Amino acid sequence: MKRFTIQIVLPLVLTVVFLPSCHKEVVDRTTLYPSLSPSNEDMNADTWKPVLVTNPSAFAVAAPDAINSSAYAADINEIKSLQSNLTGDQKAIIAYWSAGAVLRWNEIMRDLVAKHNLPPYQNPDGTYPFPSSTNPFAYPEFPFSNPPYAARAYAYFSAAQYDALITAYHFKKLYNRSAPYKNGLGVQALIPTSDLPSYPSEDAVVAGVSVEMMKFLFPTEGDYIQQKADEEMLYRKLAGANVQGELTAGQALGAKIADVFVARAKADRAGKAIGSAPEWQALQTNATTRGDQYWISLETPPRPPMLPLFGKTIPFLFDTLTVVALRPGPPNTAGSTAFKAEEAEVLSYSQHPTTANQALVDFWADGINTYTPPGHWNAIAETEFVKEHYSEVRWARNYALLNMAEMDVAICCWDTKYFYFNERPSQANPIIKTLTGVPNFPSYTSGHSNFSGAAATVLTYLLPDRGDEFTNLANQAAMSRLVGAIHYRSDVEVGLVTGKAVGEYAVKRGMSDGAGPGN
């Protein structure tokens, strides 16, 4: 097996560990970001290449009320009434949402992933129940947002936001209506002004598509999701940015775009990823036939493998044949000389933990009740994207590239894990104790390494001046799994290679989507 040397820079680890913007708890970020003020409105975004929408003009958006109509006057008067006596809570709403709709909805999605990233508890008979999308409120609530589910959720959510905004730009140009604060009717601009046409509202389009995608992905959270959307729509009126008609049209358009993505999601095979007992048994047989030791759950009672058929999910960036083509060669066979050397290295890390290694493991753990490794990379991207003063549509495009890569690399990683179905270090040698938990799926290759290799590749394309930093972070994430005694060295090294290969597909798409450089 070809070996790859991973360099790790510990001083940077300590810097990252205490970076507030990457903290994985739910926090109030209101004071962290200024109001969105794009350096480039990306007025040509209607010409960019969408993900699923083939003809933006096919979505009906009725013409807006005339600015001199009584309906528009009533909408303007509503804004002026709201602005005449703003409360402290209303000012806080403006401060929160003015940072950007895509940014805030991505944070909300990460919080929902963290909330639902809890494996079900066993039944009295020692079996485990499974979440059901057809009965989401029953225990265990649907979904269990483990890393593959989360990666897929982020991808659909972000790609749908991107297509929704491209479509909105088509109609913005078509109707070319100025924002309320530009029409000389006494409306104050309480956020940075923009020359972007205001019908339909970009915030409302993002809210409309986000609400429907989130209700599909997290059906038990409908009331909370709608409350956040209502708050965002109020913000647009409080800030003088949109009248009610612009918000209504935007939300309706966003919902229509969501329908396109929900239809794809229902047919992408992810719903069959749990598999069945005979299929789980076949995985063991295949490993034994290959002459390797098959993986077993180390939980008590043993838990079924996590989404063993997720590798058959249909990707965004390439076809299912490419998933097979990207599958790496086999891991070292249990009992071989190379395997024993890797096992000994893991045992050494297990028996000689250091403060620096524990800090590395803790920072990148991203286990239960967190927003998972893909969410961690979304948080890292957020911190960097804010510095660039992107438009909403470019925020959406960049997150779509990142998260389609994260979903597709999850598919590739899970295909590899369950094709080889090999044992983890702590199964091979019970003396090995991890510095964190033991995931309930096979070892080869490392999910963290796949996710991180893909993310670093996409972010380096988007922000090439920070490429070395992203590569360092990816290497650290990968190494955290080795020094934490969770993975063999080959798991993390090969995982990084696959991650980079998948990330390059997103880069190729980005280079041909018409968006061009960010600023």
Side-chain angles (χ1 to χ4, degrees), residues 1-3 286-287 290-295 327-340 342 413 415-425 442-446 487-495:
M1 178 176 294
K2 187 175 180 180
R3 304 299 291 262
N286 292 342
R290 201 178 63 252
D292 207 354
Q293 172 58 52
Y294 59 79
W295 171 87
R327 184 190 301 152
N332 295 314
T333 305
S336 67
T337 300
F339 180 87
K340 290 178 179 178
E342 288 201 302
C413 179
D415 167 78
T416 300
K417 282 181 178 293
Y418 287 98
F419 183 82
Y420 294 115
F421 207 62
N422 71 318
E423 61 184 340
R424 284 187 176 267
S443 193
Y444 183 81
T445 57
S446 155
H487 276 288
Y488 309 102
R489 179 173 289 275
S490 56
D491 294 348
V492 302
E493 292 181 342
V494 177

Side-chain angles (χ1 to χ4, degrees), residues 190-366:
L190 301 184
I191 56 173
T193 60
S194 168
D195 292 328
L196 190 67
S198 63
Y199 184 91
S201 161
E202 63 272 18
D203 271 63
V205 167
V206 173
V209 73
S210 299
V211 165
E212 297 308 316
M213 294 307 303
M214 283 179 152
K215 286 180 178 178
F216 170 72
L217 295 163
F218 295 92
T220 63
E221 299 291 344
D223 290 345
Y224 169 72
I225 294 164
Q226 190 60 55
Q227 180 264 321
K228 298 304 289 184
D230 292 345
E231 181 184 278
E232 185 184 8
M233 297 307 93
L234 174 61
Y235 141 69
R236 294 299 284 182
K237 289 189 281 190
L238 293 171
N242 287 118
V243 296
Q244 182 59 53
E246 295 164 350
L247 301 175
T248 300
Q251 286 182 295
L253 176 59
K256 292 175 184 176
I257 302 299
D259 289 342
V260 176
F261 283 82
V262 168
R264 185 199 193 272
K266 287 180 177 179
D268 72 358
R269 303 179 191 161
K272 300 178 180 179
I274 291 174
S276 62
E279 288 168 318
W280 305 338
Q281 181 61 47
L283 297 170
Q284 296 183 2
T285 302
N286 292 342
T288 301
T289 301
R290 201 178 63 252
D292 207 354
Q293 172 58 52
Y294 59 79
W295 171 87
I296 60 172
S297 172
L298 297 181
E299 297 193 33
T300 306
R303 189 183 294 273
M306 181 188 290
L307 301 184
L309 302 187
F310 189 80
K312 299 185 183 300
T313 303
I314 300 173
F316 268 111
L317 298 170
F318 39 75
D319 58 26
T320 53
L321 292 177
T322 303
V323 174
V324 176
L326 288 171
R327 184 190 301 152
N332 295 314
T333 305
S336 67
T337 300
F339 180 87
K340 290 178 179 178
E342 288 201 302
E343 179 190 314
E345 182 182 25
V346 176
L347 178 61
S348 178
Y349 280 119
S350 174
Q351 293 182 326
H352 303 96
T354 66
T355 301
N357 283 349
Q358 186 65 63
L360 188 68
V361 170
D362 291 345
F363 179 70
W364 290 104
D366 296 324

Side-chain angles (χ1 to χ4, degrees), residues 393-450:
V393 69
R394 192 166 291 274
W395 268 89
R397 177 256 190 176
N398 290 354
Y399 264 137
L401 292 175
L402 171 64
N403 286 320
M404 287 191 293
E406 293 293 79
M407 171 177 162
D408 289 6
V409 84
I411 294 169
C412 291
C413 179
W414 255 245
D415 167 78
T416 300
K417 282 181 178 293
Y418 287 98
F419 183 82
Y420 294 115
F421 207 62
N422 71 318
E423 61 184 340
R424 284 187 176 267
S426 46
Q427 177 187 340
N429 185 349
I431 298 175
I432 294 174
K433 306 299 180 186
T434 70
L435 275 64
T436 185
V438 181
N440 196 62
F441 39 83
S443 193
Y444 183 81
T445 57
S446 155
H448 276 63
S449 305
N450 278 269

Side-chain angles (χ1 to χ4, degrees), residues 18-24 27 29 32-33 107 110 371 376 378-380 382-384:
F18 299 109
L19 190 65
S21 58
C22 292
H23 204 285
K24 291 182 282 297
V27 296
R29 300 174 174 88
L32 292 184
Y33 301 127
E107 291 176 343
R110 299 200 309 261
Y371 47 38
H376 198 155
N378 274 248
I380 290 170
E382 174 185 291
T383 304
E384 300 306 313

Side-chain angles (χ1 to χ4, degrees), residues 154-202:
Y154 291 127
Y156 274 98
F157 178 73
S158 295
Q161 287 181 334
Y162 170 62
D163 276 18
L165 280 167
I166 286 179
T167 307
Y169 267 60
H170 168 79
F171 289 103
K172 281 177 176 291
K173 280 189 173 180
L174 177 65
Y175 295 122
N176 197 29
R177 180 202 262 184
S178 299
Y181 53 65
K182 288 197 170 224
N183 290 331
L185 298 174
V187 172
Q188 302 174 65
L190 301 184
I191 56 173
T193 60
S194 168
D195 292 328
L196 190 67
S198 63
Y199 184 91
S201 161
E202 63 272 18

